[in-house]
Amino acid sequence: MPAKQIQTFHLDRLDTPIGTALLVTDDQGLLRALDWSDYEARLHRLLRRHYGDYVLDKVVAPKDITAALAGYFKGDLGRLNTIKWRTNGTPFQRKVWSSLQKVRAGKTSSYGAFASRLNVPNAARAVGLANGANPVSVVVPCHRLIGADGSLTGYGGGLARKEWLLAHEGAEFKRQRI
């Protein structure tokens, strides 16, 4: 039996208004993960879950990815749609992640409504779990799913980031009480 190939990815950091983003890319210039420096342990958990053993080399991320993210954070919200990404995951997870890109900036959906849109109306929890396992946050806009009452619910990068992202996009939601 041949030994399993260890995946090699590239790691770069990008300063944003909401913290330092960790960008994981591959040799083809595709984004494989985006998380936050204060959640680096989560990034490694997701990478292990999706790819098994891996190595991260410090390499500058492709300019098209960093330019698109910088543009998004400066207000050009459509720039996220130009970023090419690839993930592993179950077929259901990939279906959720792909469909999340159809929720336009400035709009939100509840987990239940989103599950119904996927023709699995009783799968709000499964949608939530897939959403929480999204390795390319912001680009695959998991922050756009909120509670049925408009409240913010879990976000892997923290609710303060979710609130900032939604406010940045002009979405309506119930603000957190501090």
Side-chain angles (χ1 to χ4, degrees):
M1 176 189 264
K4 187 175 178 184
Q5 182 89 15
I6 294 177
Q7 300 243 21
T8 299
F9 297 117
H10 312 298
L11 175 66
D12 196 8
R13 296 172 185 272
L14 177 70
D15 290 329
T16 78
I18 54 175
T20 302
L22 303 173
L23 308 177
V24 177
T25 56
D26 63 20
D27 287 336
Q28 290 75 43
L30 300 172
L31 184 66
R32 292 300 193 108
L34 187 157
D35 217 322
W36 304 99
S37 61
D38 51 332
Y39 287 88
E40 192 163 351
R42 174 186 134 83
L43 171 78
H44 291 289
R45 273 194 312 276
L46 288 174
L47 289 172
R48 269 192 303 283
R49 185 178 305 149
H50 290 291
Y51 303 108
D53 291 333
Y54 66 92
V55 173
L56 286 179
D57 292 332
K58 291 182 181 178
V59 176
V60 174
K63 200 67 162 165
D64 59 331
I65 293 174
T66 57
L69 285 166
Y72 167 80
F73 283 108
K74 288 179 182 171
D76 186 358
L77 305 179
R79 292 291 297 273
L80 292 181
N81 298 330
T82 68
I83 297 174
K84 292 181 173 66
W85 55 274
R86 179 183 302 149
T87 62
N88 279 0
T90 68
F92 182 75
Q93 287 173 327
R94 289 195 309 268
K95 179 179 180 178
V96 168
W97 299 333
S98 178
S99 297
L100 277 168
Q101 292 199 288
K102 296 174 185 160
V103 180
R104 293 188 336 259
K107 302 294 180 189
T108 59
S109 178
S110 71
Y111 293 90
F114 191 77
S116 291
R117 200 171 309 135
L118 295 176
N119 293 318
V120 285
N122 296 321
R125 284 185 185 205
V127 164
L129 290 171
N131 205 39
N134 170 21
V136 284
S137 70
V138 181
V139 176
V140 171
C142 52
H143 59 276
R144 295 180 188 153
L145 293 187
I146 61 175
D149 65 354
S151 64
L152 298 184
T153 56
Y155 182 66
L159 288 181
R161 278 197 182 99
K162 183 173 188 165
E163 183 171 0
W164 189 96
L165 291 165
L166 290 172
H168 177 64
E169 295 177 354
E172 292 183 26
F173 59 96
K174 287 185 182 175
R175 299 219 178 240
Q176 296 185 102
R177 293 187 185 166
I178 299 176

